[in-house]
Amino acid sequence: MKKYIAEFIGTFSMIFCGTGAMTINEVTDGDVTHVGIAITWGLIVMAMIYAFGETSGAHFNPAVTIAFAYAKKFSWKEVPKYVIAQILGAFAASFILWFLFPASENLGATIPTVDVWRAFVLELLLTFFLMVVIINVSTGSKEMGIIAGIAVGAVVLLEAMFAGPITNASMNPARSIAPNVVSGNLQHLWMYILAPILGALLAVVSCKLIKDDNCCDTPNC
């Protein structure tokens, strides 16, 4: 139960701070700035990895959880429990932001500024890059010291910095589902669920091709 609570709290904290920065930027007409939003995402991801990496592996992302299971670094039977905890944490954060900032129209929702298929490809690639880093600095169940926090947080910051204006750089189905549902922005939600999962799975495939001797051969069941 402790690892599920860790996933709930970690995802809650990440969504509250990350989409909270976007929400506050919206209601204050840009006071946080795009750069500030990207830095917020990177720092909260890094902090939560340090806080809960030893407890749950600090996935905070259904796409990451599914990819770890596909890579045989995580038990498939644990996937639904992790995903539920992550989505519940995300919804808790979005509902609190809705209560705190009722004037917000988006609550940090992921809304593409290009056509849906270009956004799909971009989200797939963003998640691919993220998962490539994650799978190479972690063991699936435990994060490896300070390396994981800095590396993963830096990638999230980097991708939020350059891709945020196009797709809001979700890379995480839970991160999109909660604010999009609570704010009523459902039109392209399917893309923000499917593209990250496919991108994360492709990262595992690439890892198997490059490091097939030690990448994905140790089940964590």
Side-chain angles (χ1 to χ4, degrees), residues 202-221:
L202 285 175
V204 174
V205 172
S206 75
C207 185
K208 289 181 178 181
L209 293 174
I210 297 169
K211 300 172 65 177
D212 58 0
D213 58 333
N214 62 0
C215 175
C216 307
D217 58 352
T218 305
N220 176 36
C221 301

Side-chain angles (χ1 to χ4, degrees), residues 134-151:
I134 291 173
I135 202 167
N136 281 287
V137 298
S138 70
T139 64
S141 61
K142 304 293 182 184
E143 300 297 339
M144 293 164 49
I146 64 171
I147 296 175
I150 294 174

Side-chain angles (χ1 to χ4, degrees), residues 109-120 122-123 163-169 180 185 187-189 191-192:
T110 45
I111 303 170
T113 59
V114 295
D115 71 80
V116 66
W117 290 111
R118 287 183 174 87
F120 184 96
L122 182 55
E123 279 294 317
I166 308 301
T167 66
N168 293 128
N180 282 50
N185 291 289
Q187 184 176 2
H188 302 300
L189 182 56
M191 182 269 291
Y192 287 104

